[in-house]
């Protein structure tokens, strides 16, 4: 598809260009902590959510974060609008496409495809290999974990691992149809991101099994559609529609509910007690913001002089780091999240 300039904000990298040690210069012996990359898909910044009356008062949530040792970063932006580019830039600490890129056809360099082929020398695989990290991935129904020599999936068992590897081997073969069927039947054994955040004992048990330092990618498809929460944050069955009609009368209300339930998931995770979790570097962020109906676009343009791009690029970002890293400057855009984490680790 054509590259659209409105999807990219590479200029946001300029102010942070030289403030951290290059990841390639970090020595394995200096790494001390696990790293959590907790991604909420389509999570607007608290400021934008407050302006839209999605939340009543951003200060209430920030107070909760601060109580558990987290900091919230105002005016934080995603460098890309689509998830496949945003998460690729975060994991690789670079720009997979720029304003000068004319067109791309191969999605292999973008998320989640870049994690599926260990044979490709991606920046992310080079980094975790050099620094001897275990990479553990908890995904969602639309971007689930697939294990390989670099990727560990939570709650995987031999049967799933075996079928998955055969599935990759015979991807273009007639056997692929049979293996896809088996794969779907056993996919339910995998612990997804939402389940992982709901119970810190999953992390503690994983830490007992894999004591070496690890990077955890926890990717929730929330508050992104399909909207599957009621106003009390109870889940209900949906048709799994990833693109409901943005002009529908109840669209905004459904996003509002999903956003507040996402904040509830964050509050629940940070409040759970775990000595292992408290030692980790935890980064919680949106991959991009979101968009709304023509009526709401006009309202925010008239009242706040903000356009659609301002809402699609402004994202939630909160973090908790060890005291030794308190003087480390925080990033202003998502492409620098991994640099920030590795300079602290």
């Amino acid at each position: 598809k054509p590259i659209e300039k409105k999807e990219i904000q590479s200029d946001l990298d300029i102010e942070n260009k030289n403030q951290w040690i290059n990841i390639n210069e970090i020595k394995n012996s200096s790494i001390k902590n696990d790293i959590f990359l907790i991604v909420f898909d389509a999570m607007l910044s608290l400021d934008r959510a407050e302006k839209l009356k999605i939340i009543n008062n951003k200060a209430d949530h920030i107070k909760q974060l601060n109580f558990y040792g987290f900091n919230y970063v105002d005016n934080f932006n995603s460098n890309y609008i689509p998830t496949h580019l945003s998460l690729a830039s975060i994991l690789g600490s670079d720009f997979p496409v720029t304003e000068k890129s004319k067109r791309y056809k191969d999605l292999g360099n973008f998320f989640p495809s870049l994690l599926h082929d260990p044979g490709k020398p991606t920046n992310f695989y080079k980094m975790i290999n050099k620094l001897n990290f275990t990479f553990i991935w908890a995904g969602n129904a639309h971007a689930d974990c697939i294990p390989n020599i670099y990727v560990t999936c939570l709650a995987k068992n031999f049967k799933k691992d075996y079928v998955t590897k055969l599935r990759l081997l015979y991807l273009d073969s007639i056997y692929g149809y049979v293996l896809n069927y088996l794969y779907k039947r056993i996919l339910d054994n995998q612990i997804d991101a939402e389940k992982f955040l709901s119970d810190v004992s999953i992390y503690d048990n994983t830490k007992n099994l894999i004591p070496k330092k690890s990077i955890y990618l926890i990717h929730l498809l929330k508050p992104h559609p399909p909207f599957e929460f009621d106003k009390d944050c109870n889940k209900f069955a949906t048709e799994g529609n990833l693109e409901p009609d943005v002009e529908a009368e109840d669209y905004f209300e459904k996003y509002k509910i999903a956003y507040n339930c996402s904040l509830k998931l964050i509050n629940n995770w940070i409040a759970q007690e775990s000595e292992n979790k408290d030692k980790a570097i935890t980064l919680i962020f949106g991959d991009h913001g979101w968009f709304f109906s023509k009526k709401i676009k006009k309202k925010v343009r008239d009242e706040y002089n903000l356009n659609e791009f301002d809402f699609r690029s402004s994202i939630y970002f909160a973090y908790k780091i060890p005291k030794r890293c308190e003087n480390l400057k925080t990033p202003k855009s998502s492409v620098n999240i991994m640099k920030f984490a590795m300079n602290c680790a």
Side-chain angles (χ1 to χ4, degrees):
K1 74 179 254 252
I3 299 294
E4 296 185 33
K5 189 170 183 178
K6 64 183 181 180
E7 293 183 344
I8 305 170
Q9 291 203 100
S10 59
D11 57 308
L12 289 174
D13 187 44
I14 295 172
E15 62 185 309
N16 295 313
K17 199 167 187 179
N18 300 311
Q19 76 179 23
W20 300 291
I21 300 172
N22 189 296
I23 290 177
N24 293 328
E25 297 173 5
I26 297 174
K27 295 179 179 176
N28 180 28
S29 59
S30 67
I31 305 296
K32 302 177 179 67
N33 300 87
D34 284 350
I35 297 172
F36 285 111
L37 304 174
I38 301 176
V39 186
F40 280 80
D41 210 301
M43 189 80 170
L44 280 172
S45 67
L46 292 176
D47 176 70
R48 298 293 191 260
E50 187 179 58
K51 281 181 167 60
L52 285 174
K53 304 295 190 294
I54 291 171
I55 58 174
N56 295 326
N57 186 352
K58 71 176 186 178
D60 292 338
H61 181 66
I62 293 174
K63 183 178 180 180
Q64 178 84 348
L65 289 169
N66 294 161
F67 181 80
Y68 290 104
F70 280 78
N71 295 297
Y72 181 77
V73 181
D74 282 314
N75 302 315
F76 191 82
N77 289 275
S78 172
N79 296 92
Y80 295 92
I81 298 307
T83 295
H84 66 278
L85 295 177
S86 177
L87 289 183
S89 72
I90 290 167
L91 294 176
S93 296
D94 64 1
F95 297 96
V97 295
T98 70
E99 292 88 341
K100 296 179 180 179
S101 302
K102 294 181 179 180
R103 187 179 295 270
Y104 56 84
K105 296 179 180 179
D106 181 12
L107 298 180
N109 294 325
F110 309 140
F111 181 86
S113 300
L114 66 88
L115 297 176
H116 292 166
D117 186 358
K120 284 193 173 182
T122 63
N123 287 346
F124 182 68
Y125 280 152
K126 287 178 182 177
M127 180 195 70
I128 62 174
N129 187 47
K130 176 180 182 290
L131 300 178
N132 198 27
F133 269 101
T134 295
F135 176 59
I136 301 173
W137 179 9
N140 55 71
H142 298 277
D144 61 294
C145 177
I146 297 179
N148 58 49
I149 60 172
Y150 292 117
V151 177
T152 298
C153 300
L154 287 167
K156 69 184 179 71
N157 55 40
F158 173 78
K159 183 169 66 173
K160 179 184 184 304
D161 215 10
Y162 181 70
V163 172
T164 299
K165 289 175 181 177
L166 280 177
R167 179 171 169 258
L168 291 174
L169 184 63
Y170 292 105
L171 197 60
D172 297 322
S173 164
I174 191 172
Y175 299 111
Y177 293 101
V178 177
L179 294 167
N180 281 337
Y181 173 77
L182 293 174
Y183 182 76
K184 290 176 182 177
R185 288 179 64 89
I186 60 178
L187 192 59
D188 289 339
N189 293 324
Q190 195 174 113
I191 292 175
D192 67 10
E194 189 175 344
K195 175 63 176 174
F196 180 87
L197 286 191
S198 70
D199 186 358
V200 75
S201 68
I202 296 172
Y203 169 56
D204 287 332
N205 292 336
T206 304
K207 189 67 178 171
N208 290 332
L209 293 170
I210 308 175
K212 65 179 288 189
K213 58 185 180 289
S214 301
I215 295 175
Y216 288 77
L217 175 62
I218 314 299
H219 179 206
L220 296 91
L221 196 67
K222 291 176 176 55
H224 192 290
F227 302 125
E228 54 185 6
F229 286 122
D230 65 21
K231 59 184 177 60
D232 297 315
C233 297
N234 298 311
K235 293 184 72 172
F236 56 85
T238 71
E239 296 179 355
N241 184 6
L242 294 178
E243 297 182 5
D245 182 9
V246 70
E247 299 296 336
E249 289 186 11
D250 61 349
Y251 183 93
F252 179 77
E253 184 63 25
K254 287 181 178 180
Y255 180 87
K256 179 179 179 178
I257 290 171
Y259 189 95
N260 281 278
C261 291
S262 296
L263 291 181
K264 188 174 181 179
L265 288 170
I266 293 172
N267 289 340
N268 178 61
W269 168 255
I270 66 177
Q272 293 179 73
E273 295 183 0
S274 164
E275 185 177 349
N276 289 323
K277 180 170 74 73
D278 290 341
K279 293 177 182 177
I281 294 167
T282 303
L283 310 174
I284 307 173
F285 53 93
D287 59 342
H288 53 76
W290 203 235
F291 58 98
F292 302 99
S293 66
K294 293 177 182 178
K295 180 179 178 180
I296 293 175
K297 290 176 188 176
K298 183 179 186 306
K299 175 183 171 65
V300 297
R301 185 171 60 247
D302 293 345
E303 291 186 15
Y304 304 111
N305 194 31
L306 295 169
N307 59 37
E308 179 179 342
F309 188 75
D310 292 319
F311 279 81
R312 299 191 72 174
S313 61
S314 181
I315 58 174
Y316 180 104
F317 179 43
Y319 68 91
K320 183 178 181 179
I321 55 178
K323 288 185 177 181
R324 68 174 185 277
C325 302
E326 288 180 348
N327 293 327
L328 191 65
K329 291 183 179 180
T330 55
K332 295 295 184 183
S333 65
S334 57
V335 71
N336 289 315
I337 282 178
M338 187 64 77
K339 295 175 188 174
F340 176 64
M342 297 306 300
N343 272 254
C344 180

